[in-house]
Amino acid sequence: MDATATSRKSQIEQAGAAQRPAIDPAASAWVMANAGTGKTKVLTDRLLRLLLAGTPPSKILCLTFTKAAAAEMRNRLSAALGLWSRLDDAALREELKKIAAGFVSRDMLARARALFARVLEEPGGIYILTLHAFCQAVLQRFPLEARVPPHFQVLDEAQAADLLAAARDRVLDRAESEAALGAALAVVAGRVDGERFGELLREVLQRRGMLAAAIARAGGQARYLAAVAKRFGVKPGETEASVHAEMGRPPAALAARLRRAAAALLEGSKTDRERGQAIADLLAAGNDRAALIDGYSAQFLTGKGEIRKQLATKGIGDAHKETLQQEAERLLALHQRRLAIGVVERTSALLTLGLAVIDAYERGKRDRAALDYDDLIERTGALLEGEDRKSVV
């Protein structure tokens, strides 16, 4: 055996040793690994261990996220049990040693050979379902307890997307006549294109349960947004425009020192002169400073919103270092406040639009007596955790 083959065999043996604790059905295991590294094999081996231990096939429930994964599980399980039914004692014992704990007895060999037929004959067999199919089955059995329409239909991803698009269009039409929606749309449209707006709405929709709970805990949408603003340190009435204007108004005492610093900078290097001229122009502009603020701020802050490492060359900087540093820190604090206000304003706008779209989307589902995939999981979770869970489980 060459070195490559030896190394490969060693890797397989190491993987098998690492997987063995996870295939023990008595252990609660969480397996995380890249695609193709054996997660499905671990789950299949756990099922085989349960069957070998005498667990009735109909008592086993295996949930996957996709139909393809569920089909793969069924195929692997069927292949393993079919192989066991055909092998002689020696070969079967070697197969069982790969997953079984302890000594492989003759009784275990007999049970292993009989499992293929037992699973086939068991009413319902082993339940290997997608998560959504399982939730749908539970809700169809207990619709009243789950508070869902008894004969609900399930929207697939394409149908849900079409319904969401229709809800979005209705809200956008309303924005032409409803001030709150119109203002919110203006904020969002100024930041994202139509495609990104659709993505944001889908994200809001996916988190609608968590969002509704957060708003309820806060005591309503207005209080929730007030809490968001407080979390970001934004005061009532502050806007990006008001903070932007404040950036161009250094306090009087600081402004006086900045004039002296500007005069010194104008005698320095090219970079010094540019910074000095920007300071002088801003201070001389009086109340008409709006157009100068961004260029002025750029003399102290980088594009990443950080204070520039050098605010003046040596000599000039030594005399006015404290003044320039103080102004840079003032501008940085205001820049960060302006960013925070922008986040709060855009959050408020997106929430206003998102909740309106969610409301229209939910009405559309109610009109059709339909649930989407997220509803299936949410309603099943609420059902199993609710007061009636003892009669359901």
Side-chain angles (χ1 to χ4, degrees), residues 6 33 45 48 80 92 119 146 153 165 174 181 199 218 226 233-234 250 270 279 295-296 304 353 374 381 387:
T6 301
D45 288 348
L48 293 171
L92 180 56
V119 170
Q153 62 169 310
R174 287 166 49 198
L181 289 177
E199 293 174 356
V234 176
K270 180 177 182 294
I279 295 173
Y296 172 74
K304 295 182 178 180
L353 290 172
D374 290 335
E387 295 179 356

Side-chain angles (χ1 to χ4, degrees), residues 9-74:
K9 181 180 179 181
S10 176
Q11 290 175 353
I12 294 173
E13 290 174 349
Q14 290 176 7
Q19 291 171 353
R20 183 169 288 275
I23 68 176
D24 182 359
S28 179
W30 183 277
V31 179
M32 297 180 65
N34 295 328
T37 55
K39 295 188 298 296
T40 304
K41 180 181 184 302
V42 169
L43 184 53
T44 304
D45 288 348
R46 281 176 69 92
L47 293 182
L48 293 171
R49 282 278 296 269
L50 281 169
L51 292 170
L52 281 173
T55 304
S58 61
K59 297 292 184 180
I60 297 175
L61 172 63
C62 179
L63 299 181
T64 68
F65 197 73
T66 66
K67 293 179 180 179
E72 178 68 14
M73 283 295 304
R74 294 190 193 96

Side-chain angles (χ1 to χ4, degrees), residues 94-350:
E94 290 302 313
E95 285 294 316
L96 296 182
K97 283 181 179 179
K98 296 176 183 178
I99 63 168
F103 176 70
V104 178
S105 65
R106 295 193 64 82
D107 287 342
M108 186 182 292
L109 294 175
R111 286 200 306 274
R113 285 200 180 89
L115 281 174
F116 184 75
R118 184 181 180 187
V119 170
L120 287 177
E121 294 169 358
E122 185 83 14
I126 295 178
Y127 295 105
I128 302 178
L129 306 170
T130 65
L131 177 60
H132 298 122
F134 167 72
C135 292
Q136 182 177 350
V138 171
L139 295 178
Q140 286 174 335
R141 187 173 180 183
F142 303 100
L144 298 180
E145 294 86 347
R147 297 179 177 84
V148 299
H151 301 292
F152 66 86
Q153 62 169 310
V154 178
L155 301 175
D156 61 27
E157 291 181 350
Q159 292 170 323
D162 289 343
L163 191 59
L164 178 61
R168 177 201 61 203
D169 292 343
R170 286 196 295 273
V171 170
L172 294 181
D173 289 341
R174 287 166 49 198
E176 297 180 1
S177 58
E178 297 183 26
L181 289 177
L185 180 59
V187 171
V188 174
R191 293 285 181 173
V192 298
D193 58 22
E195 182 178 353
R196 179 55 181 155
F197 178 53
E199 293 174 356
L200 289 172
L201 285 181
R202 285 191 291 273
E203 291 178 14
V204 171
L205 185 66
Q206 290 172 355
R207 292 165 174 78
R208 62 187 183 273
M210 180 179 63
L211 186 59
I215 291 174
R217 286 195 302 270
Q221 182 178 342
R223 290 187 176 183
Y224 175 75
L225 289 173
V228 171
K230 184 178 180 181
R231 180 72 176 269
F232 279 87
V234 176
K235 300 175 183 177
E238 278 190 321
T239 64
E240 287 186 277
S242 68
V243 174
H244 183 261
E246 189 177 347
M247 295 178 76
R249 295 194 302 268
L254 178 58
R257 287 189 280 122
L258 283 170
R259 285 190 179 90
R260 292 193 291 272
L265 287 167
L266 288 171
E267 300 298 325
S269 68
K270 180 177 182 294
T271 303
D272 288 334
R273 293 195 300 272
E274 289 176 356
R275 183 170 289 114
Q277 191 63 56
I279 295 173
D281 289 346
L282 182 87
L283 296 177
N287 294 326
D288 188 21
R289 298 178 177 180
L292 302 175
I293 292 174
D294 286 338
Y296 172 74
S297 177
Q299 294 296 329
F300 295 86
L301 306 178
T302 68
K304 295 182 178 180
E306 300 171 347
I307 294 176
R308 294 190 178 278
K309 292 182 179 179
Q310 187 176 30
L311 296 175
T313 56
K314 190 170 178 59
I316 294 175
D318 292 342
H320 300 282
K321 179 178 181 181
E322 183 178 347
T323 296
L324 296 173
Q325 183 67 26
Q326 185 177 347
E327 176 64 351
E329 291 174 357
R330 185 186 74 88
L331 291 171
L332 177 61
L334 291 172
H335 171 70
Q336 291 173 338
R337 272 174 57 195
R338 185 172 62 175
L339 292 178
I341 291 169
V343 170
V344 172
E345 288 183 348
R346 291 189 289 277
T347 298
S348 177
L350 182 60

